[in-house]
Amino acid sequence: MSIDVIPDWLASLDDEDISFIKRFILSSGSLKEVASSYGVTYPTVRLRLDRLIQKIQVAEDTSNDPYVSLIKRLAINEKLDFDTAKILINEYKKIRTGV
């Protein structure tokens, strides 16, 4: 991989996500230290990391239809609740398969 090429998963992250990743790396992966630096609790940082992991997984999942990926991104970014996202994806898949 060339240094001039930004991976799709990285390009899909916003500035806050990149800042979080930088802080996480600089704290040697210590969520406790990251929580302290943000002035929040460990569970709050753990939830943020879990959401970031989900964002990366969605960006890396090339098997997904672009529409399904969009719905997942909206849910992960809290623009759409997960239950609604599941309904939209399931209905879309039914339409696509003709069921």
Side-chain angles (χ1 to χ4, degrees):
M1 178 172 76
S2 170
I3 194 74
D4 297 332
V5 177
I6 297 173
D8 289 339
W9 68 266
L10 187 57
S12 72
L13 302 178
D14 59 32
D15 290 342
E16 284 184 36
D17 294 331
I18 302 297
S19 178
F20 180 85
I21 291 169
K22 180 180 177 183
R23 195 172 288 203
F24 180 72
I25 291 169
L26 291 175
S27 68
S28 298
S30 168
L31 293 180
K32 188 175 181 179
E33 190 174 320
V34 172
S36 176
S37 69
Y38 276 115
V40 296
T41 64
Y42 175 91
T44 301
V45 171
R46 182 70 235 186
L47 180 61
R48 174 88 186 264
L49 180 60
D50 290 342
R51 286 195 178 130
L52 185 55
I53 290 167
Q54 289 174 330
K55 282 184 181 182
I56 292 169
Q57 288 172 334
V58 166
E60 287 282 286
D61 188 359
T62 58
S63 67
N64 270 338
D65 178 283
Y67 177 78
V68 173
S69 292
L70 171 65
I71 297 299
K72 287 181 178 180
R73 276 195 311 276
L74 289 171
I76 290 168
N77 290 323
E78 299 179 344
K79 304 287 184 193
L80 186 66
D81 67 83
F82 278 102
D83 290 334
T84 303
K86 286 179 189 177
I87 292 168
L88 289 171
I89 290 169
N90 287 336
E91 290 301 314
Y92 175 73
K93 286 180 178 179
K94 283 180 190 176
I95 291 168
R96 296 224 11 161
T97 60
V99 175

Coordinates of all heavy atoms in Angstrom, one line a residue:
M1 N 0.8 -1.2 0.0 CA 0.0 0.0 0.0 C 0.9 1.2 0.0 O 1.8 1.4 0.8 CB -0.9 0.0 1.2 CG -1.8 1.2 1.3 SD -3.1 1.2 2.6 CE -2.1 1.4 4.1
S2 N 0.6 2.1 -0.9 CA 1.3 3.4 -1.0 C 0.9 4.3 0.1 O -0.2 4.3 0.6 CB 1.0 4.0 -2.3 OG 1.6 5.3 -2.4
I3 N 1.9 5.1 0.6 CA 1.6 6.1 1.6 C 0.7 7.2 1.1 O 0.0 7.8 1.9 CB 2.9 6.7 2.2 CG1 2.7 7.5 3.5 CG2 3.6 7.6 1.2 CD1 2.5 6.6 4.6
D4 N 0.6 7.4 -0.2 CA -0.3 8.4 -0.8 C -1.8 8.0 -0.8 O -2.6 8.8 -1.1 CB 0.2 8.8 -2.2 CG 1.5 9.4 -2.2 OD1 1.9 10.0 -1.2 OD2 2.2 9.2 -3.2
V5 N -2.0 6.7 -0.6 CA -3.4 6.2 -0.7 C -4.0 6.0 0.7 O -3.4 5.4 1.6 CB -3.4 4.8 -1.4 CG1 -4.8 4.2 -1.4 CG2 -2.8 4.9 -2.8
I6 N -5.1 6.6 0.9 CA -5.8 6.5 2.2 C -6.8 5.4 2.1 O -7.6 5.4 1.2 CB -6.5 7.8 2.6 CG1 -5.5 9.0 2.7 CG2 -7.3 7.7 3.9 CD1 -6.1 10.3 2.9
P7 N -6.7 4.4 3.0 CA -7.7 3.3 3.0 C -9.1 3.8 3.1 O -9.4 4.8 3.8 CB -7.3 2.4 4.2 CG -6.0 2.9 4.6 CD -5.8 4.3 4.1
D8 N -10.1 3.1 2.4 CA -11.5 3.5 2.5 C -12.0 3.6 3.9 O -12.7 4.6 4.2 CB -12.3 2.6 1.7 CG -12.1 2.7 0.2 OD1 -11.6 3.7 -0.3 OD2 -12.4 1.7 -0.5
W9 N -11.6 2.7 4.8 CA -12.1 2.7 6.1 C -11.7 4.0 6.9 O -12.4 4.5 7.6 CB -11.8 1.4 6.9 CG -10.3 1.3 7.2 CD1 -9.4 0.6 6.5 CD2 -9.6 1.9 8.3 NE1 -8.1 0.7 7.0 CE2 -8.2 1.5 8.2 CE3 -10.0 2.6 9.4 CZ2 -7.3 1.8 9.1 CZ3 -9.0 3.0 10.3 CH2 -7.7 2.6 10.2
L10 N -10.4 4.4 6.6 CA -9.9 5.6 7.3 C -10.6 6.9 6.7 O -10.9 7.8 7.4 CB -8.4 5.6 7.1 CG -7.7 6.7 7.9 CD1 -7.9 6.6 9.4 CD2 -6.2 6.6 7.6
A11 N -10.8 6.9 5.4 CA -11.4 8.0 4.8 C -12.8 8.2 5.2 O -13.4 9.3 5.2 CB -11.3 7.9 3.3
S12 N -13.5 7.1 5.7 CA -14.9 7.2 6.1 C -15.1 7.8 7.5 O -16.2 8.1 7.9 CB -15.5 5.8 6.0 OG -15.0 5.0 7.0
L13 N -14.0 7.9 8.2 CA -14.0 8.4 9.6 C -14.0 9.9 9.6 O -13.4 10.6 8.8 CB -12.9 7.9 10.4 CG -12.8 6.3 10.5 CD1 -11.5 5.9 11.3 CD2 -14.0 5.7 11.1
D14 N -14.7 10.5 10.6 CA -14.7 12.0 10.8 C -13.5 12.4 11.6 O -12.8 11.6 12.2 CB -16.0 12.5 11.3 CG -16.4 11.9 12.7 OD1 -15.5 11.6 13.5 OD2 -17.6 11.7 12.9
D15 N -13.3 13.7 11.8 CA -12.2 14.3 12.5 C -12.2 13.8 14.0 O -11.1 13.5 14.5 CB -12.2 15.8 12.4 CG -11.9 16.3 11.1 OD1 -11.3 15.5 10.2 OD2 -12.1 17.5 10.8
E16 N -13.3 13.7 14.6 CA -13.4 13.3 16.0 C -12.9 11.8 16.1 O -12.3 11.5 17.1 CB -14.8 13.4 16.5 CG -15.3 14.8 16.9 CD -16.7 14.8 17.5 OE1 -17.0 13.9 18.2 OE2 -17.4 15.8 17.2
D17 N -13.3 11.0 15.2 CA -12.8 9.6 15.2 C -11.3 9.5 15.1 O -10.7 8.8 15.8 CB -13.5 8.8 14.0 CG -15.0 8.6 14.2 OD1 -15.5 8.6 15.3 OD2 -15.7 8.5 13.2
I18 N -10.8 10.3 14.1 CA -9.3 10.3 13.9 C -8.6 10.8 15.2 O -7.6 10.2 15.6 CB -8.9 11.2 12.7 CG1 -9.6 10.7 11.4 CG2 -7.4 11.3 12.6 CD1 -9.2 9.3 11.0
S19 N -9.2 11.8 15.8 CA -8.6 12.3 17.1 C -8.6 11.3 18.2 O -7.6 11.1 18.9 CB -9.4 13.6 17.5 OG -8.9 14.1 18.7
F20 N -9.7 10.5 18.3 CA -9.9 9.5 19.2 C -8.8 8.4 19.0 O -8.2 7.9 19.9 CB -11.3 8.9 19.2 CG -11.5 7.8 20.2 CD1 -11.8 8.1 21.5 CD2 -11.3 6.4 19.8 CE1 -12.0 7.0 22.4 CE2 -11.5 5.4 20.7 CZ -11.8 5.7 22.0
I21 N -8.6 8.0 17.8 CA -7.7 7.0 17.4 C -6.3 7.4 17.8 O -5.5 6.7 18.4 CB -7.7 6.6 15.9 CG1 -9.0 5.9 15.6 CG2 -6.5 5.8 15.5 CD1 -9.3 5.7 14.1
K22 N -5.9 8.7 17.5 CA -4.6 9.2 17.9 C -4.4 9.2 19.4 O -3.4 8.7 19.8 CB -4.5 10.7 17.3 CG -3.2 11.3 17.7 CD -3.1 12.7 17.1 CE -1.8 13.4 17.5 NZ -1.8 14.8 17.0
R23 N -5.4 9.6 20.1 CA -5.3 9.6 21.6 C -5.2 8.2 22.1 O -4.4 8.0 23.0 CB -6.5 10.3 22.2 CG -6.3 10.7 23.6 CD -7.4 11.5 24.1 NE -7.4 12.9 23.6 CZ -7.9 14.0 24.1 NH1 -8.6 13.8 25.2 NH2 -7.9 15.1 23.5
F24 N -5.9 7.3 21.5 CA -5.8 5.9 21.9 C -4.4 5.3 21.7 O -3.9 4.7 22.6 CB -6.9 5.1 21.1 CG -7.0 3.6 21.4 CD1 -7.5 3.2 22.6 CD2 -6.5 2.7 20.5 CE1 -7.5 1.8 22.9 CE2 -6.6 1.4 20.8 CZ -7.1 0.9 22.0
I25 N -3.9 5.6 20.5 CA -2.5 5.1 20.2 C -1.5 5.7 21.1 O -0.6 5.1 21.7 CB -2.2 5.4 18.7 CG1 -3.1 4.5 17.8 CG2 -0.7 5.1 18.5 CD1 -3.0 4.8 16.4
L26 N -1.6 7.0 21.3 CA -0.6 7.7 22.2 C -0.7 7.3 23.7 O 0.3 7.4 24.4 CB -0.8 9.3 22.1 CG -0.4 9.8 20.7 CD1 -0.7 11.3 20.7 CD2 1.1 9.6 20.4
S27 N -1.8 6.8 24.0 CA -2.0 6.2 25.4 C -1.7 4.7 25.5 O -2.0 4.1 26.4 CB -3.4 6.5 26.0 OG -4.3 5.7 25.3
S28 N -1.0 4.2 24.4 CA -0.6 2.8 24.3 C -1.9 1.9 24.4 O -1.8 0.8 25.0 CB 0.4 2.5 25.4 OG 1.6 3.2 25.2
G29 N -3.0 2.4 24.0 CA -4.2 1.5 24.0 C -4.9 1.4 25.3 O -5.8 0.5 25.5
S30 N -4.5 2.3 26.2 CA -5.2 2.2 27.6 C -6.5 3.0 27.6 O -6.5 4.2 27.5 CB -4.2 2.8 28.6 OG -4.9 3.0 29.8
L31 N -7.6 2.3 27.6 CA -8.9 2.9 27.6 C -9.1 3.7 28.9 O -9.7 4.8 28.9 CB -10.0 1.9 27.5 CG -10.1 1.2 26.1 CD1 -11.3 0.2 26.1 CD2 -10.3 2.2 25.0
K32 N -8.5 3.3 30.0 CA -8.6 4.0 31.2 C -7.9 5.4 31.1 O -8.4 6.4 31.6 CB -7.9 3.2 32.3 CG -8.1 3.7 33.7 CD -7.5 2.7 34.8 CE -7.7 3.3 36.2 NZ -7.2 2.3 37.2
E33 N -6.7 5.4 30.5 CA -6.0 6.6 30.3 C -6.8 7.6 29.3 O -6.8 8.8 29.5 CB -4.6 6.3 29.7 CG -3.7 7.6 29.7 CD -2.3 7.2 29.3 OE1 -1.8 6.2 29.7 OE2 -1.7 8.0 28.5
V34 N -7.4 7.0 28.3 CA -8.1 7.8 27.3 C -9.3 8.4 28.0 O -9.6 9.6 27.9 CB -8.6 6.9 26.1 CG1 -9.6 7.7 25.2 CG2 -7.4 6.5 25.3
A35 N -10.0 7.6 28.9 CA -11.1 8.1 29.6 C -10.7 9.3 30.5 O -11.4 10.3 30.6 CB -11.8 7.0 30.5
S36 N -9.6 9.1 31.2 CA -9.1 10.2 32.0 C -8.8 11.4 31.2 O -9.1 12.6 31.7 CB -7.8 9.7 32.8 OG -7.3 10.7 33.5
S37 N -8.2 11.3 30.1 CA -7.8 12.5 29.3 C -9.1 13.2 28.7 O -9.1 14.4 28.5 CB -6.9 12.1 28.1 OG -7.5 11.3 27.2
Y38 N -10.1 12.4 28.5 CA -11.4 13.1 28.0 C -12.3 13.5 29.2 O -13.2 14.2 29.0 CB -12.2 12.1 27.2 CG -11.8 12.0 25.7 CD1 -11.3 10.8 25.2 CD2 -12.0 13.1 24.9 CE1 -10.9 10.8 23.8 CE2 -11.7 13.0 23.5 CZ -11.1 11.8 23.0 OH -10.8 11.8 21.7
G39 N -11.9 13.0 30.4 CA -12.7 13.4 31.6 C -14.1 12.7 31.6 O -15.1 13.2 32.0
V40 N -14.1 11.4 31.1 CA -15.3 10.6 31.1 C -15.0 9.3 31.7 O -13.9 9.0 32.1 CB -15.8 10.4 29.6 CG1 -16.2 11.8 29.0 CG2 -14.8 9.7 28.7
T41 N -16.0 8.5 31.8 CA -15.9 7.2 32.5 C -15.3 6.1 31.5 O -15.5 6.3 30.2 CB -17.2 6.6 33.0 OG1 -18.1 6.4 31.9 CG2 -17.8 7.6 34.0
Y42 N -14.8 5.1 32.0 CA -14.3 4.0 31.1 C -15.4 3.4 30.2 O -15.2 3.2 29.0 CB -13.7 2.9 32.0 CG -13.3 1.6 31.3 CD1 -12.0 1.5 30.8 CD2 -14.2 0.6 31.0 CE1 -11.6 0.4 30.1 CE2 -13.8 -0.5 30.3 CZ -12.5 -0.6 29.8 OH -12.2 -1.7 29.1
P43 N -16.6 3.1 30.8 CA -17.7 2.6 29.9 C -18.0 3.6 28.7 O -18.4 3.1 27.6 CB -18.9 2.4 30.8 CG -18.3 2.3 32.2 CD -17.1 3.2 32.2
T44 N -17.9 4.8 28.9 CA -18.2 5.8 27.9 C -17.1 5.7 26.8 O -17.5 5.7 25.6 CB -18.2 7.3 28.4 OG1 -19.2 7.4 29.4 CG2 -18.4 8.3 27.3
V45 N -15.9 5.5 27.1 CA -14.8 5.3 26.2 C -15.0 4.0 25.5 O -14.7 3.9 24.3 CB -13.4 5.5 26.8 CG1 -12.3 5.1 25.9 CG2 -13.2 6.9 27.3
R46 N -15.3 3.0 26.2 CA -15.5 1.6 25.6 C -16.6 1.7 24.6 O -16.5 1.1 23.5 CB -15.9 0.6 26.8 CG -16.0 -0.8 26.3 CD -14.7 -1.4 25.9 NE -14.8 -1.9 24.5 CZ -13.9 -2.5 23.9 NH1 -12.7 -2.8 24.5 NH2 -14.1 -2.9 22.7
L47 N -17.7 2.4 24.9 CA -18.8 2.5 23.9 C -18.3 3.2 22.7 O -18.7 2.8 21.5 CB -20.0 3.2 24.6 CG -21.2 3.4 23.7 CD1 -21.8 2.1 23.3 CD2 -22.2 4.3 24.5
R48 N -17.6 4.3 22.9 CA -17.0 5.0 21.7 C -16.1 4.2 20.8 O -16.2 4.2 19.6 CB -16.2 6.2 22.3 CG -15.5 7.1 21.2 CD -16.4 8.1 20.7 NE -15.7 8.8 19.6 CZ -15.1 10.0 19.7 NH1 -15.0 10.6 20.9 NH2 -14.5 10.5 18.7
L49 N -15.3 3.4 21.5 CA -14.4 2.4 20.7 C -15.2 1.4 20.0 O -15.0 1.1 18.8 CB -13.4 1.8 21.7 CG -12.4 0.8 21.0 CD1 -11.6 1.5 20.0 CD2 -11.6 0.1 22.1
D50 N -16.3 0.9 20.6 CA -17.1 -0.1 20.0 C -17.8 0.5 18.7 O -17.9 -0.2 17.7 CB -18.2 -0.7 21.0 CG -17.6 -1.5 22.0 OD1 -16.4 -2.0 21.9 OD2 -18.3 -1.8 23.1
R51 N -18.3 1.7 18.8 CA -18.9 2.3 17.7 C -17.9 2.6 16.6 O -18.2 2.4 15.4 CB -19.5 3.7 18.1 CG -20.8 3.4 18.9 CD -21.6 4.7 19.0 NE -22.9 4.4 19.7 CZ -23.3 5.1 20.7 NH1 -22.6 6.2 21.1 NH2 -24.4 4.8 21.3
L52 N -16.7 2.9 16.9 CA -15.6 3.1 16.0 C -15.3 1.8 15.3 O -15.1 1.8 14.0 CB -14.4 3.7 16.7 CG -13.2 4.1 15.8 CD1 -13.6 5.1 14.7 CD2 -12.1 4.7 16.7
I53 N -15.2 0.7 16.0 CA -15.0 -0.6 15.4 C -16.1 -0.9 14.4 O -15.8 -1.4 13.3 CB -14.9 -1.7 16.5 CG1 -13.6 -1.5 17.3 CG2 -15.0 -3.1 15.9 CD1 -13.6 -2.3 18.6
Q54 N -17.3 -0.6 14.8 CA -18.5 -0.9 13.9 C -18.3 -0.1 12.6 O -18.6 -0.6 11.5 CB -19.8 -0.6 14.6 CG -20.2 -1.5 15.6 CD -21.4 -1.1 16.4 OE1 -21.7 0.1 16.5 NE2 -22.1 -2.1 16.9
K55 N -17.9 1.2 12.7 CA -17.8 2.1 11.5 C -16.7 1.5 10.6 O -16.9 1.4 9.4 CB -17.3 3.5 11.9 CG -18.4 4.4 12.5 CD -17.8 5.7 12.7 CE -18.8 6.7 13.3 NZ -18.2 8.0 13.5
I56 N -15.6 1.0 11.2 CA -14.5 0.4 10.4 C -15.0 -0.9 9.7 O -14.8 -1.1 8.5 CB -13.3 0.2 11.2 CG1 -12.7 1.6 11.6 CG2 -12.2 -0.6 10.4 CD1 -11.6 1.5 12.7
Q57 N -15.7 -1.7 10.4 CA -16.2 -2.9 9.9 C -17.2 -2.7 8.7 O -17.1 -3.4 7.7 CB -16.9 -3.8 11.0 CG -15.9 -4.4 11.9 CD -16.6 -5.0 13.1 OE1 -17.7 -4.7 13.5 NE2 -15.9 -6.0 13.7
V58 N -18.1 -1.7 8.9 CA -19.0 -1.4 7.8 C -18.2 -0.9 6.6 O -18.5 -1.3 5.4 CB -20.0 -0.4 8.2 CG1 -20.8 0.2 7.1 CG2 -21.0 -1.0 9.2
A59 N -17.3 -0.1 6.8 CA -16.5 0.5 5.7 C -15.7 -0.6 5.0 O -15.4 -0.6 3.8 CB -15.5 1.6 6.2
E60 N -15.2 -1.6 5.7 CA -14.4 -2.7 5.2 C -15.3 -3.8 4.5 O -14.7 -4.6 3.8 CB -13.6 -3.3 6.3 CG -12.4 -2.5 6.7 CD -11.3 -2.5 5.8 OE1 -10.6 -3.6 5.7 OE2 -11.1 -1.5 5.0
D61 N -16.5 -3.8 4.8 CA -17.4 -4.9 4.3 C -17.8 -4.6 2.9 O -18.7 -3.9 2.6 CB -18.7 -5.0 5.2 CG -19.5 -6.2 4.8 OD1 -19.1 -7.0 3.9 OD2 -20.5 -6.4 5.5
T62 N -17.0 -5.3 2.0 CA -17.2 -5.0 0.5 C -18.3 -5.9 0.0 O -18.8 -5.7 -1.1 CB -15.9 -5.3 -0.3 OG1 -15.5 -6.6 0.0 CG2 -14.9 -4.3 0.1
S63 N -18.8 -6.9 0.8 CA -19.9 -7.7 0.3 C -21.3 -7.1 0.4 O -22.2 -7.5 -0.3 CB -19.9 -9.0 1.2 OG -20.3 -8.7 2.5
N64 N -21.3 -6.0 1.1 CA -22.6 -5.3 1.3 C -23.0 -4.5 0.1 O -22.1 -3.9 -0.6 CB -22.6 -4.4 2.5 CG -23.1 -5.1 3.7 OD1 -23.8 -6.1 3.7 ND2 -22.7 -4.6 4.9
D65 N -24.2 -4.4 -0.2 CA -24.8 -3.6 -1.2 C -24.6 -2.1 -0.7 O -24.6 -1.9 0.5 CB -26.3 -3.9 -1.2 CG -27.1 -3.1 -2.2 OD1 -27.4 -1.9 -1.8 OD2 -27.4 -3.6 -3.2
P66 N -24.4 -1.2 -1.6 CA -24.1 0.2 -1.2 C -25.3 0.8 -0.3 O -25.1 1.5 0.6 CB -24.0 1.0 -2.5 CG -23.6 0.0 -3.5 CD -24.2 -1.3 -3.0
Y67 N -26.5 0.4 -0.6 CA -27.7 0.9 0.2 C -27.6 0.3 1.6 O -27.8 1.1 2.5 CB -29.0 0.4 -0.5 CG -30.2 0.8 0.3 CD1 -30.7 2.1 0.2 CD2 -30.9 -0.1 1.0 CE1 -31.8 2.5 1.0 CE2 -32.0 0.2 1.8 CZ -32.5 1.5 1.7 OH -33.6 1.9 2.4
V68 N -27.3 -1.0 1.7 CA -27.2 -1.6 3.0 C -26.1 -0.9 3.8 O -26.2 -0.7 5.0 CB -27.0 -3.1 2.9 CG1 -26.7 -3.8 4.3 CG2 -28.2 -3.8 2.3
S69 N -25.0 -0.7 3.2 CA -23.8 0.0 3.9 C -24.2 1.4 4.3 O -23.9 1.8 5.4 CB -22.6 0.1 2.9 OG -22.1 -1.2 2.7
L70 N -25.0 2.1 3.5 CA -25.5 3.4 3.9 C -26.4 3.3 5.2 O -26.2 4.1 6.1 CB -26.2 4.1 2.8 CG -27.0 5.4 3.1 CD1 -26.0 6.5 3.5 CD2 -27.8 5.8 2.0
I71 N -27.3 2.4 5.2 CA -28.2 2.3 6.3 C -27.4 1.9 7.6 O -27.6 2.5 8.6 CB -29.3 1.2 6.0 CG1 -30.2 1.6 4.9 CG2 -30.1 0.9 7.3 CD1 -30.9 2.9 5.1
K72 N -26.4 1.0 7.4 CA -25.6 0.7 8.6 C -24.8 1.9 9.1 O -24.7 2.1 10.3 CB -24.6 -0.5 8.2 CG -25.3 -1.8 8.1 CD -24.3 -2.9 7.8 CE -25.0 -4.3 7.7 NZ -24.0 -5.3 7.4
R73 N -24.2 2.6 8.2 CA -23.5 3.8 8.6 C -24.4 4.8 9.3 O -23.9 5.4 10.3 CB -22.8 4.5 7.4 CG -21.5 3.9 7.0 CD -20.7 4.8 6.0 NE -21.5 5.3 4.9 CZ -21.7 4.6 3.8 NH1 -21.2 3.4 3.6 NH2 -22.4 5.2 2.8
L74 N -25.6 5.0 8.8 CA -26.5 5.9 9.5 C -26.8 5.5 10.9 O -26.9 6.3 11.8 CB -27.8 6.1 8.6 CG -27.7 6.8 7.3 CD1 -29.0 6.7 6.5 CD2 -27.3 8.3 7.6
A75 N -27.0 4.2 11.1 CA -27.3 3.6 12.4 C -26.1 3.8 13.3 O -26.2 4.2 14.5 CB -27.7 2.2 12.3
I76 N -24.9 3.5 12.8 CA -23.7 3.6 13.6 C -23.4 5.1 14.0 O -23.0 5.4 15.1 CB -22.5 3.0 12.9 CG1 -22.6 1.5 12.8 CG2 -21.2 3.4 13.6 CD1 -21.7 0.8 11.9
N77 N -23.7 6.0 13.1 CA -23.5 7.4 13.4 C -24.7 8.0 14.1 O -24.8 9.2 14.3 CB -23.3 8.2 12.1 CG -21.9 7.8 11.5 OD1 -21.0 7.6 12.2 ND2 -21.8 7.8 10.2
E78 N -25.6 7.2 14.6 CA -26.8 7.6 15.4 C -27.7 8.6 14.6 O -28.4 9.4 15.2 CB -26.4 8.2 16.7 CG -25.7 7.1 17.6 CD -25.2 7.7 18.9 OE1 -25.2 8.9 19.1 OE2 -24.9 6.9 19.8
K79 N -27.8 8.5 13.3 CA -28.7 9.2 12.5 C -30.0 8.5 12.3 O -31.0 9.0 11.8 CB -28.1 9.6 11.1 CG -26.7 10.3 11.2 CD -26.9 11.7 11.6 CE -25.5 12.4 11.5 NZ -25.5 13.6 12.1
L80 N -29.9 7.2 12.6 CA -31.0 6.2 12.5 C -30.9 5.2 13.6 O -29.8 4.8 13.8 CB -30.9 5.6 11.1 CG -32.0 4.7 10.5 CD1 -33.2 5.5 10.3 CD2 -31.5 4.1 9.2
D81 N -32.0 4.9 14.2 CA -31.9 3.9 15.3 C -31.7 2.5 14.7 O -32.1 2.2 13.6 CB -33.1 3.9 16.3 CG -34.4 3.5 15.6 OD1 -34.6 2.3 15.6 OD2 -35.1 4.4 15.2
F82 N -31.1 1.6 15.5 CA -30.8 0.2 15.0 C -32.0 -0.6 14.6 O -32.0 -1.3 13.6 CB -29.9 -0.5 16.0 CG -28.5 -0.1 16.0 CD1 -27.9 0.7 16.9 CD2 -27.7 -0.6 15.0 CE1 -26.6 1.1 16.9 CE2 -26.3 -0.3 14.9 CZ -25.8 0.6 15.9
D83 N -33.1 -0.4 15.3 CA -34.3 -1.2 15.0 C -34.8 -0.8 13.6 O -35.2 -1.6 12.8 CB -35.4 -1.0 16.1 CG -35.0 -1.7 17.4 OD1 -34.2 -2.7 17.3 OD2 -35.5 -1.3 18.4
T84 N -34.9 0.5 13.4 CA -35.3 1.0 12.1 C -34.4 0.6 11.0 O -34.8 0.2 9.9 CB -35.4 2.5 12.1 OG1 -36.3 2.9 13.1 CG2 -35.9 3.1 10.8
A85 N -33.1 0.6 11.2 CA -32.1 0.1 10.2 C -32.3 -1.3 9.9 O -32.3 -1.7 8.7 CB -30.7 0.3 10.8
K86 N -32.6 -2.2 10.9 CA -32.8 -3.6 10.6 C -34.1 -3.8 9.7 O -34.1 -4.6 8.8 CB -33.0 -4.3 11.9 CG -31.8 -4.6 12.7 CD -32.1 -5.3 14.0 CE -30.9 -5.3 14.9 NZ -31.2 -6.0 16.2
I87 N -35.1 -3.0 10.1 CA -36.4 -3.1 9.3 C -36.1 -2.7 7.8 O -36.5 -3.4 6.9 CB -37.5 -2.2 9.9 CG1 -37.9 -2.8 11.2 CG2 -38.7 -2.1 8.9 CD1 -38.8 -1.9 12.0
L88 N -35.4 -1.6 7.6 CA -35.1 -1.1 6.3 C -34.3 -2.1 5.5 O -34.6 -2.4 4.3 CB -34.4 0.2 6.3 CG -35.2 1.4 6.8 CD1 -34.3 2.7 7.0 CD2 -36.3 1.7 5.7
I89 N -33.3 -2.7 6.1 CA -32.4 -3.6 5.5 C -33.2 -4.9 5.1 O -33.1 -5.4 4.0 CB -31.2 -4.0 6.3 CG1 -30.2 -2.7 6.4 CG2 -30.4 -5.2 5.8 CD1 -29.1 -2.8 7.4
N90 N -34.0 -5.4 6.1 CA -34.8 -6.6 5.8 C -35.8 -6.4 4.7 O -35.9 -7.3 3.8 CB -35.5 -7.1 7.1 CG -34.5 -7.7 8.1 OD1 -33.4 -8.2 7.7 ND2 -34.8 -7.6 9.3
E91 N -36.4 -5.3 4.7 CA -37.4 -5.0 3.6 C -36.7 -4.8 2.3 O -37.2 -5.3 1.2 CB -38.2 -3.7 3.9 CG -39.2 -3.9 5.1 CD -40.2 -5.1 4.9 OE1 -40.8 -5.1 3.8 OE2 -40.4 -5.9 5.8
Y92 N -35.6 -4.2 2.3 CA -34.8 -4.0 1.0 C -34.4 -5.4 0.5 O -34.5 -5.6 -0.7 CB -33.6 -3.1 1.3 CG -32.7 -3.0 0.1 CD1 -33.0 -2.2 -0.9 CD2 -31.4 -3.6 0.1 CE1 -32.2 -2.0 -2.0 CE2 -30.6 -3.4 -1.0 CZ -30.9 -2.6 -2.0 OH -30.1 -2.5 -3.1
K93 N -33.9 -6.2 1.3 CA -33.5 -7.6 0.9 C -34.7 -8.4 0.4 O -34.5 -9.1 -0.6 CB -32.8 -8.3 2.1 CG -31.4 -7.8 2.4 CD -30.8 -8.6 3.5 CE -29.4 -8.0 3.7 NZ -28.7 -8.7 4.8
K94 N -35.9 -8.2 1.0 CA -37.1 -8.9 0.5 C -37.4 -8.4 -1.0 O -37.7 -9.2 -1.8 CB -38.3 -8.6 1.4 CG -38.3 -9.4 2.6 CD -39.5 -9.1 3.5 CE -39.4 -9.6 4.9 NZ -40.6 -9.2 5.7
I95 N -37.3 -7.2 -1.2 CA -37.6 -6.6 -2.5 C -36.6 -7.1 -3.5 O -36.9 -7.5 -4.6 CB -37.6 -5.0 -2.4 CG1 -38.8 -4.5 -1.6 CG2 -37.6 -4.4 -3.8 CD1 -38.7 -3.1 -1.2
R96 N -35.3 -7.1 -3.1 CA -34.3 -7.5 -4.0 C -34.4 -9.0 -4.4 O -34.0 -9.4 -5.5 CB -32.9 -7.3 -3.5 CG -32.6 -5.8 -3.3 CD -31.4 -5.3 -3.7 NE -30.5 -6.2 -4.4 CZ -29.5 -5.8 -5.2 NH1 -29.2 -4.6 -5.2 NH2 -28.8 -6.7 -5.8
T97 N -34.8 -9.8 -3.4 CA -34.9 -11.3 -3.7 C -36.3 -11.7 -4.2 O -36.5 -12.8 -4.6 CB -34.6 -12.1 -2.4 OG1 -35.5 -11.7 -1.4 CG2 -33.1 -11.9 -2.0
G98 N -37.2 -10.7 -4.2 CA -38.6 -11.0 -4.7 C -39.4 -11.9 -3.7 O -40.3 -12.5 -4.1
V99 N -39.0 -11.9 -2.4 CA -39.8 -12.6 -1.5 C -40.9 -11.8 -0.9 O -40.9 -10.7 -0.7 CB -38.9 -13.1 -0.3 CG1 -39.7 -13.8 0.8 CG2 -37.8 -14.0 -0.9

